[in-house]
Amino acid sequence: MSPKAPPAFADHPSAGGPFSGPGERGWQLWRAAGEAAFAGLLVLLTYVALDWYRGYPSLLGMTLDGGVMVVLALAGIGLVLVRRRFPTWSVLGLSVLMGLFPVTGLLTAVAAYTAARQTEERRRRAALLLAGLALAPLACFASAPVTGLGSRPYGLVFGAVLAASTVLVPGLVGTAGGQQDRLLWALRERTAAAEEARRLADSEARLHERSRIAAEMHDLVGHRLSLISLHAGGLEMALQKQAPELREEAALVRGATRDAMRELREALGVLGPLGRDTGTDALTDATGTRADIEALAAESRRVGVPVEFSWDGDDLDARPARVRRAVHRVVRESLTNVHRYAAGAHVTVAVAHIGERVEVRVSNGVPSVPPAASTGLGSGRGLTGLRERVTLLGGTLEAGATPGGGFSVTAEIPADPASGAPAEEAGDAAPYEEGAHDAVDEPGRRLRRLQRGPTSAATGLLGLAGVAAMMLFGVILVDKAKPSHPYPPFEPRVGMMREQFQREGISDDDAVRAAAFGREPRRPRSAQDCMYPWVDKPATGGRRQIVRYCFRSDILISIDRFTVPVVTEPQPPHGSRTHD
């Protein structure tokens, strides 16, 4: 599996269109259309949320008309669509636009997240986010009087709250996501390199074992051909006197044997130094027999490894040398691994020669003393070579940990490998074919990609919901902290509607009406109704001021002020507004 390159910062023209990201080709029009629709929905939902709170643009004091708002919204959608190709300009442009038109805050969050995620260089990413954090408050500060937001200091605070929730938080999340992407890419690359190294090591071990087998064949066949040549030479000398007419036939046999040995050395002799055993492990006629395996077990006992040996069935002295050699190699390699990684563990060596099959099993328990850390885990090339040797004979080899914590190696070898070898040769290289691993892994990779799509979409929606909640909470918090203007005084004037008095909470008071009864001046002739509101002024000189509003057809036609003597101090009605 070839890992893909990690996302890289791209803020310059490439082979793709304006909507494509790093490493992508084409214009990505279908994706851009879907993102444009989603961006428009985000702008609309933000507008509705602010309007639901207090009424937008009255909440922010905005004086922009509908046409200007539409133009600014379209500009924000265009900037968010090119965020992959031009992340810097997208973030900076949306930060300024958000200062003028806060409804584009969620679009700014999307651009900040994408830019921070695909920017690999730390300093450039930090500079981009800091620039976005600074531009939004500055834009609010500069445009506050023009847009009707309020004072410039208030605009600066408002922009800082928006920038923190839509630039800083998404940028930090995008930074963490980008670092995770690059870490996963590095891990995939290391895994692929380790897998390739393992394949190369296995291939080398296989070739090494095959060269060793070729060297053994060279020794065996060369030894037999040497004997034939020696006997042919003796026969030639004997026939020189007894049967001269047959001497040429013996000389022909000796010459053919000499030529065969030369050709064998030319074909296989170069492999001898790579894989030939020397010393006490050199190939002999006793290799792989019961006595040979017993000698291997006794050698391990002498170095302190308790080995239990058992042999079931006939000896292997009548079997082919390659079978005996394979049995010898399985037992010797397994005992060598025990010496390295499980010294002191109890070992069982069992060989069963039943019918036309030879089964070899070497298993060990848990060592009494853990192996030293310097021994490592081994390269595994010895077992790979054993598997190659056994497979070429038509057998199978299994190696792995046992339930009790030990290790076991089991090999099944045909006693007469001629019948089983061809079938194994056909499937010999299948596990090592180029591209086989990728072909097997491709369906799984597609399934993971399909599963990752809905998960990423759900995570993105949840993230946007969180940013929207932070943004709305910040707007409400700043709005609540905004300095309030003094309560504007209500100044009644002739010609006002009764409805205006009701909106101000000014209503008729029965106690004031009763106090004015019989002491008020004459009403105007055209007056249909009069209102006596509560006047929040203390009584002076034993008299209290009263204001009378007279209406005709719910239109104020006269305002009269007079005083009446105070008998008892009336209380204003609950929930009504006083009027001076």
Side-chain angles (χ1 to χ4, degrees):
M1 180 178 63
S2 301
K4 293 183 179 180
F9 186 88
D11 207 12
H12 51 80
S14 59
F19 311 122
S20 58
E24 297 179 340
R25 295 186 176 274
W27 281 50
Q28 308 291 334
L29 293 180
W30 287 107
R31 185 180 65 184
E35 290 182 351
F38 184 69
L41 180 63
L42 288 180
V43 173
L44 181 61
L45 290 178
T46 306
Y47 184 92
V48 170
L50 294 177
D51 186 67
W52 165 81
Y53 169 59
R54 281 274 297 274
Y56 185 82
S58 62
L59 166 65
L60 308 176
M62 299 292 289
T63 58
L64 302 176
D65 58 13
V68 175
M69 290 185 182
V70 172
V71 172
L72 293 178
L74 293 177
I77 293 174
L79 286 173
V80 81
L81 291 181
V82 298
R83 69 189 187 279
R84 295 185 181 88
R85 178 75 176 278
F86 306 104
T88 300
W89 297 113
S90 178
V91 173
L92 299 182
L94 280 169
S95 297
V96 174
L97 186 62
M98 182 177 61
L100 304 174
F101 192 45
V103 173
T104 59
L106 290 182
L107 304 186
T108 307
V110 174
Y113 173 82
T114 303
R117 183 160 188 163
Q118 74 180 38
T119 304
E120 185 175 358
E121 187 179 349
R122 186 192 312 173
R123 293 183 178 178
R124 192 169 189 176
R125 180 175 60 243
L128 178 60
L129 294 180
L130 289 176
L133 283 173
L135 285 176
L138 291 177
C140 279
F141 177 82
S143 63
V146 178
T147 59
L149 188 62
S151 63
R152 293 184 186 274
Y154 175 75
L156 184 66
V157 174
F158 185 81
V161 171
L162 286 181
S165 59
T166 61
V167 177
L168 179 61
V169 174
L172 294 178
V173 175
T175 299
Q179 290 177 348
Q180 182 181 14
D181 291 342
R182 287 183 284 274
L183 178 60
L184 290 177
W185 174 82
L187 291 176
R188 291 193 187 102
E189 189 179 47
R190 291 188 60 182
T191 301
E195 181 70 15
E196 185 66 20
R198 186 191 64 82
R199 292 183 185 179
L200 292 176
D202 288 350
S203 178
E204 182 182 356
R206 288 158 53 86
L207 292 176
H208 183 83
E209 193 65 22
R210 290 192 177 191
S211 67
R212 189 195 300 270
I213 296 172
E216 293 171 2
M217 184 175 65
H218 175 274
D219 294 341
L220 289 172
V221 178
H223 177 67
R224 301 302 180 188
L225 290 177
S226 298
L227 292 177
I228 294 174
S229 178
L230 180 61
H231 288 294
L235 181 60
E236 182 182 1
M237 292 181 62
L239 292 177
Q240 184 175 5
K241 295 181 179 180
Q242 298 178 4
E245 66 277 5
L246 299 177
R247 178 178 176 275
E248 293 182 3
E249 296 295 334
L252 181 62
V253 171
R254 185 168 60 85
T257 303
R258 184 176 60 252
D259 294 341
M261 287 188 64
R262 186 182 69 255
E263 293 174 357
L264 182 62
R265 289 191 182 96
E266 291 176 356
L268 300 178
V270 293
L271 300 176
L274 179 63
R276 179 183 293 119
D277 291 330
T278 59
T280 58
D281 294 327
L283 183 63
T284 64
D285 292 336
T287 299
T289 61
R290 180 168 184 167
D292 179 50
I293 305 302
E294 284 180 340
L296 291 176
E299 184 179 353
S300 295
R301 293 191 193 101
R302 284 195 296 270
V303 296
V305 177
V307 179
E308 180 181 348
F309 173 71
S310 64
W311 185 289
D312 187 14
D314 298 334
D315 204 344
L316 296 177
D317 51 359
R319 293 300 181 179
R322 50 182 176 165
V323 174
R324 293 185 283 109
R325 187 62 172 173
V327 172
H328 174 90
R329 290 280 298 163
V330 169
V331 175
R332 190 178 71 178
E333 182 68 26
S334 300
L335 291 176
T336 301
N337 289 337
V338 171
H339 296 170
R340 291 178 179 175
Y341 312 118
H346 184 271
V347 183
T348 301
V349 178
V351 180
H353 179 202
I354 303 174
E356 296 300 319
R357 304 290 294 181
V358 179
E359 180 178 347
V360 182
R361 180 181 178 85
V362 181
S363 59
N364 63 272
V366 181
S368 56
V369 179
S374 59
T375 59
L377 299 177
S379 63
R381 296 175 59 182
L383 292 177
T384 303
L386 288 181
R387 185 174 287 108
E388 176 69 10
R389 179 183 288 268
V390 172
T391 301
L392 289 176
L393 294 175
T396 59
L397 185 137
E398 297 179 0
T402 60
F407 198 83
S408 176
V409 177
T410 304
E412 292 188 4
I413 307 170
D416 184 7
S419 59
E424 297 298 333
E425 288 288 346
D428 179 42
Y432 297 91
E433 291 179 356
E434 291 293 335
H437 180 77
D438 293 340
V440 173
D441 190 56
E442 185 64 25
R445 197 183 314 168
R446 292 178 180 176
L447 180 61
R448 289 192 298 270
R449 195 180 301 120
L450 291 177
Q451 293 174 346
R452 198 162 45 239
T455 303
S456 300
T459 304
L461 291 177
L462 289 176
L464 280 176
V467 172
M470 287 189 298
M471 178 182 170
L472 184 59
F473 178 77
V475 169
I476 294 174
L477 190 64
V478 174
D479 179 62
K480 294 296 183 182
K482 184 178 182 180
S484 59
H485 298 287
Y487 198 94
F490 180 67
E491 298 180 358
R493 298 183 303 274
V494 176
M496 284 186 174
M497 302 296 295
R498 184 191 297 269
E499 189 178 62
Q500 293 178 264
F501 286 79
Q502 293 175 350
R503 283 201 302 266
E504 292 294 329
I506 301 176
S507 60
D508 192 34
D509 185 82
D510 293 339
V512 177
R513 179 182 288 273
F517 182 75
R519 300 180 179 87
E520 60 183 320
R522 180 179 295 182
R523 298 183 179 182
R525 291 179 180 272
S526 60
Q528 299 176 345
D529 185 23
C530 292
M531 178 187 297
Y532 300 85
W534 176 266
V535 178
D536 192 14
K537 281 187 178 181
T540 58
R543 300 186 70 85
R544 185 174 187 84
Q545 184 178 359
I546 294 178
V547 180
R548 182 185 67 186
Y549 301 105
C550 294
F551 297 88
R552 182 181 62 202
S553 300
D554 291 335
I555 299 176
L556 181 63
I557 60 174
S558 74
I559 303 175
D560 301 304
R561 290 178 173 84
F562 55 94
T563 60
V564 297
V566 178
V567 180
T568 59
E569 186 70 21
Q571 298 295 326
H574 178 71
S576 65
R577 178 179 173 182
T578 61
H579 178 67
D580 295 339

